[in-house]
Amino acid sequence: MREKQGRRRGLEPVVIPYSGYGGAGFVRVLCRVLLARTDRSRPTPTTIRGWRSFVSIPVADCAVTITAGGREFTVNADRGGVVDVDLEVDLAPGVRTITLQATGSAPVTARIFVVDPDARIGIVSDIDDTVMVTALPRPFLAAWNTFVLDEHARRPVPGMAVLLERLAREHAGSPVIYLSTGAWNVAPTLDRFMSRHLYPSGTMLLTDWGPTHDRLFRSGQQHKRESLARLAREFPHIRWVLIGDDGQHDEAIYRAFEAEFPDNVAAVAIRQLTTPEAVLAGGRSHLDDDDARPGKAPWVWAPDGAGLAEQLARVGVLQATDE
């Protein structure tokens, strides 16, 4: 009904491209199709902030034509307007671009990072309380971040951008994945935040906002577990540096992943929340029992990126720097 009303008001389909990734013989394409006004005097879906991103109108079941590697593929968006599809196509390693066009929309380009077949290390990082902090009680954090604030109101975790940039630079050709329970609606805001604070470019794996067929809210933990398992299957030769915090479920999720895929974990780096942050987050989940660790990968803890970098250098994941 909203889509029909939007089209009567003159709104047109617009494709919002997200960064994807690929490997030998495949690419994963991510985008979203929305209805919007296309005149330049109005905000576009990539610049809309706060609650407005959640009242935008998705185009359900819309046909999207993807041009990659000289070939054309036609896929359909889901009911939320999201396209998340694997395509069988060979692209050379490195940063590549593909073209996306929905029925009735202008073509746009999307960034695809094709993993070097010789790469052996990858990076997976949580977002909330790991790369950025908003000092609010956990029950209100998602609503405040999503519906009220823009990227200027969020502050980066000290030293974390430098840590991720060092990991990406020292392990050239490796994938960088930002794994979050946030909704695709806030992807443009998160992308602006990452760019503003000089985080390395990477693929964001978010969730579709709204209920599923059997529950009112989607499971963020399940999203993270399934995403990690998929990465392990897609890149069996990659050992991942898993970065998270001790204020949610990151440690438990990473331990479960290490137990299932022990050969795919290079190290786990956990950012320790400050006392006020831990109080707002509902406590810490710090698990430091060596006997309980399922694999051989080193685990390190520190309150900021500089401390984590120092610990990762000690275990050989990063190169040591002269002090």
Side-chain angles (χ1 to χ4, degrees):
M1 180 183 67
R2 295 183 62 221
E3 182 179 342
K4 291 180 180 179
Q5 292 175 343
R7 290 183 183 274
R8 283 199 295 267
R9 299 201 313 269
L11 304 184
E12 299 178 4
V14 175
V15 178
I16 310 302
Y18 306 132
S19 293
Y21 64 81
F26 83 97
V27 294
R28 184 176 182 182
V29 179
L30 300 160
C31 70
R32 193 160 185 245
V33 186
L34 303 174
L35 287 182
R37 295 194 181 278
T38 55
D39 59 283
R40 296 185 178 182
S41 63
R42 295 176 177 269
T44 65
T46 57
T47 59
I48 289 174
R49 294 177 168 89
W51 60 269
R52 291 179 180 84
S53 65
F54 276 76
V55 296
S56 53
I57 304 174
V59 184
D61 302 319
C62 179
V64 177
T65 300
I66 304 169
T67 304
R71 301 173 58 190
E72 284 193 357
F73 305 84
T74 300
V75 300
N76 288 329
D78 65 16
R79 66 174 185 174
V82 175
V83 171
D84 181 355
V85 63
D86 279 354
L87 302 178
E88 294 184 2
V89 60
D90 276 308
L91 296 179
V95 178
R96 304 292 172 232
T97 57
I98 63 174
T99 301
L100 309 171
Q101 185 173 19
T103 303
S105 79
V108 297
T109 59
R111 173 187 180 273
I112 299 288
F113 182 83
V114 182
V115 178
D116 192 312
D118 295 329
R120 292 296 178 266
I121 295 293
I123 303 145
V124 170
S125 177
D126 180 39
I127 295 180
D128 282 324
D129 287 330
T130 301
V131 303
M132 70 179 184
V133 176
T134 302
L136 287 169
R138 182 72 64 185
F140 304 107
L141 177 63
W144 183 266
N145 282 345
T146 297
F147 294 108
V148 181
L149 298 181
D150 63 22
E151 72 275 10
H152 295 82
R154 306 162 190 231
R155 60 183 176 88
V157 173
M160 196 61 71
V162 176
L163 168 63
L164 291 173
E165 192 276 333
R166 282 186 61 189
L167 283 167
R169 185 181 69 249
E170 292 184 14
H171 301 284
S174 300
V176 178
I177 306 294
Y178 295 102
L179 179 57
S180 173
T181 58
W184 284 114
N185 305 64
V186 298
T189 298
L190 294 177
D191 191 56
R192 290 192 297 267
F193 174 89
M194 299 291 186
S195 177
R196 180 179 299 275
H197 295 287
L198 305 181
Y199 283 92
S201 298
T203 297
M204 285 187 291
L205 299 181
L206 307 179
T207 60
D208 194 8
W209 187 66
T212 64
H213 68 281
D214 60 351
R215 59 189 301 162
L216 184 60
F217 295 103
R218 298 174 186 273
S219 171
Q221 295 184 53
Q222 182 180 354
H223 163 65
K224 287 189 172 183
R225 289 193 297 266
E226 292 177 350
S227 296
L228 288 169
R230 176 172 178 170
L231 289 170
R233 293 191 300 268
E234 290 174 330
F235 303 105
H237 59 287
I238 293 285
R239 298 168 62 236
W240 298 93
V241 179
L242 307 174
I243 304 172
D245 65 82
D246 64 358
Q248 286 187 306
H249 306 283
D250 290 343
E251 288 179 311
I253 291 171
Y254 291 165
R255 287 184 184 277
F257 176 73
E258 187 182 10
E260 186 175 358
F261 302 96
D263 296 330
N264 293 102
V265 180
V268 180
I270 300 297
R271 186 230 167 193
Q272 296 168 310
L273 303 185
T274 65
T275 299
E277 290 169 351
V279 171
L280 293 172
R284 291 190 176 95
S285 60
H286 185 49
L287 306 173
D288 56 4
D289 183 359
D290 287 338
D291 295 333
R293 296 182 188 176
K296 300 178 181 179
W299 284 60
V300 299
W301 288 265
D304 53 33
L308 290 175
E310 181 180 350
Q311 297 293 327
L312 289 173
R314 289 179 180 177
V315 299
V317 176
L318 280 174
Q319 296 177 8
T321 58
D322 296 331
E323 297 183 356

